[in-house]
Each structure stands twice: as structure tokens, then as C-alpha cells.
Amino acid sequence: MSKADLENRIEGALEQMRPFFKADGGDMQLIGIDSDMYAQIELHGACSSCSMKEMSLRAGEEAILKVAPEIKGIKVVNQSEFSV
């Protein structure tokens, strides 16, 4: 399986979750996949400061793992104090 295919599956999972993120004024973006097989995610808008971001991240991670079981988890790249 190619890295591009894996990224496309992850993008599809995030796209399905996007209406929920945007309803609360936020969004998540796939930055890439690191060498340890973690999806690198960047939080945007309200997701970066929301008190419920942990729940949103868990939901995003679950969606990603359903379509890409090769991924070990997600890492938030623009929030050094927080990772899943």
C-alpha cells in the first residue's frame, strides 16, 4: 500500500468528521504520516483551544483507525502540550 493511498484514506475519514468539527467552529488537517506511522494532525479554529478538543481528537483518531489500521495513532503537531 502506498503512502499516497494511506493519506487519501485518512483524508476521507477526516472529511466525514469535518461537519462535526466545523459545526463547533474548528477543523483538523492531515499534515502527513511520520516514520513511526502516526498521522500528524493540525488543529484549526476553535479546535485548537476548545475544552472538548480531546473528545474531537478521539473521534478523529477512531475514524482514521477504522480506514487505516496501519496507523498507530495521531499526533497533534501544532499543540505541543497535547497528544493522543
Side-chain angles (χ1 to χ4, degrees):
M1 182 110 7
S2 73
K3 186 173 181 178
D5 180 57
L6 187 56
E7 288 175 345
N8 285 336
R9 287 187 283 145
I10 292 170
E11 288 286 357
L14 290 176
E15 191 62 36
Q16 289 181 357
M17 298 297 298
R18 196 154 274 129
F20 302 105
F21 302 144
K22 289 192 175 209
D24 292 326
D27 201 0
M28 291 185 197
Q29 177 185 0
L30 175 67
I31 301 303
I33 300 167
D34 69 17
S35 60
D36 294 325
M37 294 303 289
Y38 282 87
Q40 297 174 318
I41 302 294
E42 189 171 80
L43 301 177
H44 296 279
C47 280
S48 63
S49 60
C50 177
S51 63
M52 300 298 287
K53 71 181 169 186
E54 186 174 339
M55 285 180 45
S56 296
L57 284 168
R58 297 268 181 235
E61 182 177 49
E62 286 179 18
I64 288 170
L65 294 176
K66 281 182 184 177
V67 300
E70 309 91 321
I71 295 296
K72 292 180 182 176
I74 64 174
K75 290 182 181 176
V76 180
V77 297
N78 62 331
Q79 298 283 303
S80 60
E81 74 278 1
F82 189 86
S83 64
V84 176

